[in-house]
Every structure is written in C-alpha cells, then in structure tokens.
Amino acid sequence: MAWQVDGLYFLLTAVSAFFTLLIFVLVLVFAIKYRRAVHPHPAHIEGSLPLELTWTLIPLGICMVFFAWGSLIFFQEARPPKGAMEVYAVAKQWMWKFEYEGGQRDINQLHVPLGRDVRMIMSSQDVIHSFYVPAFRIKADVLPGRYTETWFRPTKAGTYHLFCAEYCGTDHSGMIGQVIVMEPTEYQAWLSGGGTTTGSLAANGEQLFQQLGCATCHRFDTQGRGPNLIGIFGKPVLLDDGRTVTADENYIRESILNPGAKIVSGFKPIMPTFQGQVSEENLMALVAYIKSLSQQKGSASNQPVSDMANAQ
Ligand code: CUA
C-alpha cells in the first residue's frame, strides 16, 4: 500500500505548493501592475458569474480527486484479503503482545513472512492504543472491549519500527517495537524454534472451552442448550429479535462477555457472562478455536450434526 499512500501524499504536496506559488506570484504582480501611481481611480466591478463558477468548480474537482483516491486507499486498507494469515495482538500499558496461530508468543516483536498478507486482530487490555508501522503506511486504533483490524503485505525483508500512535499514559513514548519481516524459509524455522509454545492457539482455546464449561451447553453431537458452534464462523446468524448478524470475531467476543446482547433465535438467554473471568489472550484463543471449528475438515459446516459426532 505504501506507494499509493506516497503517491497521494506527493500529489497533495504538489498541489499545495502550486497554489502557494500561484498566490504569491499574483499578489506581487497585481501589487505592481495596479499600484496607485498607475491606477489612481479603481474601477467598480459588480461581480462575475463565470469567474465565480470557475474558482468554485476547479477547487471542487481537485478536492474530489483527493477524496476519491483517499477513499480507495482507505477501503483497501480496511479490508483484509481472504486467506491472509492472522496474528492476534493485545496492547497494554506499555507493550505489544502478539500471538500466532501456532500458539507462539512475542512481546514487542512481530515476526512475519515476506510476501504474505497478514491480518492483525487487535484489542487492548486497558486504554486506547494505536498500531502504527510507518514503513507500511498503516495505522489502526487498538481499543479496549472490541477487536479492530488492519492488514499489510510485507514486500521487503528487514526490521521496521512499530509505534503506539495514541497517547496512552506515562510510557506511551516507550511503547515501541519491531516488525521483523523474514524470508519464508527463515520464518518457518523461527516458527518451529519459537520457544515455549503450548500447542496452537486454537488448541488452547479448545482446552479453555472445556475448562470454562462452554462444552456442556454448546454441544457438537446433539442439540444443546446453546447453539452448536460448528461452522458458524463467518456465517449469518438469525437472532430472536429478527435481526441477522455475521458471526465474526467481535460477535464471538461479545457473546462470551455479554451473552445477553444478541440471543440466537430459538435459544433462551441463559448463558452467564464471562466478563472479568477471561483474559484478552484467552478470549483470542477461544475466538481462534471457534473459528477453527469452521475451517477444519473443509465442508464440516455442511455435514449433518450426527456425522460430525461420528467423525470425532
Ligand atoms: Cu500505547 Cu501510546
């Protein structure tokens, strides 16, 4: 995305410079040409419709170019492509915690492979932070209580600055890190050598799913007291008030912390809240697990529930 942002920025600068110069030159030229010594009695001019239209429409056109190009970049930056690898980030005063799909963890260092789309799913444990990688021309607020996202595709191996771009307290300026872009083979080696992994993120989520007792109501074999979660991720969900929402990361998060907010059609609002009992990291593991229920076995979501039970 960087060259597009740079292109737009260059155009903005060039247009500003052009008009600054134009105005300065005209001020000088008119001051000399229409000085009092030459024109002692100024002519009275009522106004000119063509002139006023011109100086309204030309700036409007120029602004619309900025608007259209800026929107285009915004939409591209806001919509991660399908198939992007996902990295979860938790910001807190004053550090960045990253967690990869394989369960590896990083603090203040984000390791990514060259040439792959990387989607960041981010949340904050305390106040508002902002994920800012100037070299990638991306910046996204990281908020408590919800997930925000951004994405990038690194095109050059190396180490890049990561900043927090939202004032978040005393050590805001120290909340810095690195994005380390590695050759794919190097990256694989890093992943497998990546220290203390206790199983993939989704596997940790599965464990929590059992520990917290989610599995007693959200059953996969038969209809439980809660919805069967296999295959729901990314799909529309019909609620009991008639609305339909998409089961994305924020929906799952809300359903865990504030289950009463959106009741699935056909179910009773009996689920207790897990607010304060699940850390941001564990929430992300649970989200990854529920996501994995829709990814593994490809067509799992289309299989009848009884077949799923047999498969397990
Ligand atoms: Cu976190 Cu500034």
Side-chain angles (χ1 to χ4, degrees), residues 120-165:
M120 303 295 304
I121 305 165
M122 307 179 292
S123 188
S124 163
Q125 213 168 291
D126 36 47
V127 299
I128 302 178
H129 303 273
S130 183
F131 181 85
Y132 179 36
V133 187
F136 301 169
R137 314 290 192 272
I138 54 164
K139 188 194 276 180
D141 275 6
V142 180
L143 311 175
R146 59 180 269 197
Y147 293 126
T148 56
E149 60 178 5
T150 186
W151 75 280
F152 56 87
R153 185 193 304 132
T155 53
K156 205 171 148 192
T159 301
Y160 303 92
H161 286 298
L162 162 66
F163 293 109
C164 176

Side-chain angles (χ1 to χ4, degrees), residues 261-279:
K262 296 189 175 79
I263 301 295
V264 177
S265 174
F267 290 91
K268 292 198 181 68
I270 51 169
M271 179 171 157
T273 172
F274 288 83
Q275 188 89 50
Q277 299 174 49
V278 191
S279 68

Side-chain angles (χ1 to χ4, degrees), residues 4-202:
Q4 289 216 51
V5 177
D6 289 354
L8 180 59
Y9 197 78
F10 178 79
L11 182 70
L12 266 167
T13 310
V15 168
S16 303
F18 171 77
F19 279 105
T20 306
L21 215 67
L22 183 71
I23 289 166
F24 267 88
V25 169
L26 288 182
V27 165
L28 275 175
V29 168
F30 288 166
I32 294 163
K33 188 167 176 200
Y34 298 103
R35 63 190 186 275
R36 190 185 293 241
V38 186
H39 294 273
H41 302 292
H44 186 73
I45 297 168
E46 251 332 304
S48 159
L49 187 63
L51 187 64
E52 283 173 18
L53 281 176
T54 309
W55 74 40
T56 304
L57 292 178
I58 290 177
L60 178 71
I62 293 170
C63 289
M64 290 315 276
V65 169
F66 293 139
F67 170 69
W69 195 358
S71 305
L72 215 70
I73 295 174
F74 177 81
F75 282 123
Q76 283 173 358
E77 287 200 342
R79 291 181 184 152
K82 279 205 164 30
M85 66 172 264
E86 292 177 342
V87 179
Y88 290 84
V90 178
K92 61 170 275 193
Q93 290 168 321
W94 289 274
M95 63 166 78
W96 296 99
K97 296 186 281 189
F98 300 107
E99 204 156 342
Y100 305 85
E101 283 159 308
Q104 297 86 351
R105 288 164 190 229
D106 254 353
I107 285 182
N108 290 339
Q109 283 195 328
L110 172 62
H111 289 80
V112 290
L114 183 66
R116 269 207 69 184
D117 298 331
V118 181
R119 176 177 174 225
M120 303 295 304
I121 305 165
M122 307 179 292
S123 188
S124 163
Q125 213 168 291
D126 36 47
V127 299
I128 302 178
H129 303 273
S130 183
F131 181 85
Y132 179 36
V133 187
F136 301 169
R137 314 290 192 272
I138 54 164
K139 188 194 276 180
D141 275 6
V142 180
L143 311 175
R146 59 180 269 197
Y147 293 126
T148 56
E149 60 178 5
T150 186
W151 75 280
F152 56 87
R153 185 193 304 132
T155 53
K156 205 171 148 192
T159 301
Y160 303 92
H161 286 298
L162 162 66
F163 293 109
C164 176
E166 181 73 49
Y167 179 69
C168 55
T170 316
D171 282 339
H172 156 70
S173 62
M175 191 169 161
I176 47 182
Q178 296 172 320
V179 181
I180 298 162
V181 178
M182 308 168 94
E183 297 290 341
T185 48
E186 233 181 294
Y187 185 69
Q188 282 310 319
W190 177 82
L191 275 184
S192 47
T196 54
T197 65
T198 50
S200 74
L201 197 56

